[in-house]
Amino acid sequence: MKRIKINGVIIPNDYQEIYDWIGWDATSPKKVSEQIEDGKDLIIEINSGGGSVFAGSEIYTMLKNHNGNVTVQIVGLAASAASVIAMAGDKVQMSPTAQIMIHNATMDTYGDYREKQHSSEMLKNINRSIINAYKLKSGMTDDELQEMMDKETWFTAQRALQHKLIDEIMFQNEYQPAA
């Protein structure tokens, strides 16, 4: 089984060399793609605050298209674009100490009212797109998910399991009460 770490900021391919040179954790679609072996089962270990929704979407799609089994393990944080990537797992596990965060897409804009209106529509479309990943995993409705994204919702492992964003909490079966 091949283990791939998704740490740091989710970035476009063109930024990876710069982040690597500086020594900052970052994950690009190309970095993930280079580690995937065709047909081999994968463990995707996530600890990321997110980043580019489009790079995250590319990684999500790459993992969903993979012809081996994909197990996602959220070991620290899967926020924003990283939470979208987490939804790609055939099985999603979460450390009892980890968190998932979902929220509306954001961006900076410059311009007059027309540019701001255009940006608003673009952000609404991005939200509808990323809702699809959460909905496919959890079965929740668009309205339920949009409401959670509007509130910037944080999930403990237990809450994520209740909302079916994950399949199991890691180490849960390891507890052995003493007699």
Side-chain angles (χ1 to χ4, degrees):
M1 201 172 275
K2 175 78 175 180
R3 183 175 294 274
I4 298 173
K5 291 182 181 261
I6 296 181
N7 288 1
V9 183
I10 308 300
I11 58 172
N13 292 329
D14 295 343
Y15 298 3
Q16 189 69 60
E17 190 174 311
I18 296 165
Y19 276 79
D20 291 345
W21 182 75
I22 295 171
W24 290 349
D25 281 341
T27 304
S28 65
K30 182 179 179 187
K31 185 176 181 179
V32 174
S33 177
E34 289 172 344
Q35 297 178 71
I36 292 176
E37 296 177 33
D38 195 37
K40 193 163 191 169
D41 290 347
L42 304 174
I43 296 177
I44 307 298
E45 190 176 288
I46 299 178
N47 186 15
S48 170
S52 166
V53 69
F54 300 116
S57 175
E58 186 176 350
I59 295 168
Y60 168 87
T61 303
M62 185 185 315
L63 296 174
K64 288 297 279 183
N65 277 330
H66 180 65
N67 59 3
N69 187 50
V70 177
T71 300
V72 170
Q73 294 180 335
I74 302 166
V75 299
L77 176 63
S80 193
S83 71
V84 174
I85 295 168
M87 300 300 106
D90 298 311
K91 182 194 297 185
V92 181
Q93 303 172 322
M94 187 169 170
S95 172
T97 60
Q99 294 273 310
I100 294 175
M101 186 274 284
I102 66 172
H103 69 138
N104 288 323
T106 62
M107 66 187 281
D108 291 328
T109 60
Y110 176 81
D112 65 13
Y113 71 95
R114 294 167 299 174
E115 181 63 30
K116 301 296 184 180
Q117 193 170 25
H118 173 74
S119 296
S120 176
E121 289 305 312
M122 182 179 168
L123 289 170
K124 288 175 187 175
N125 281 332
I126 293 169
N127 285 346
R128 285 190 284 273
S129 294
I130 61 180
I131 280 173
N132 289 328
Y134 303 131
K135 183 168 63 173
L136 283 171
K137 182 67 183 167
S138 71
M140 285 188 276
T141 67
D142 289 7
D143 290 340
E144 290 172 316
L145 288 160
Q146 185 61 66
E147 183 179 338
M148 289 178 179
M149 289 167 58
D150 286 345
K151 293 178 183 176
E152 183 182 292
T153 304
W154 290 77
F155 296 88
T156 62
Q158 292 79 9
R159 187 171 182 206
L161 185 63
Q162 289 169 348
H163 285 88
K164 299 181 181 165
L165 292 170
I166 65 169
D167 300 301
E168 62 186 50
I169 299 171
M170 297 166 68
F171 321 119
Q172 202 168 35
N173 297 329
E174 292 180 16
Y175 177 70
Q176 300 287 330

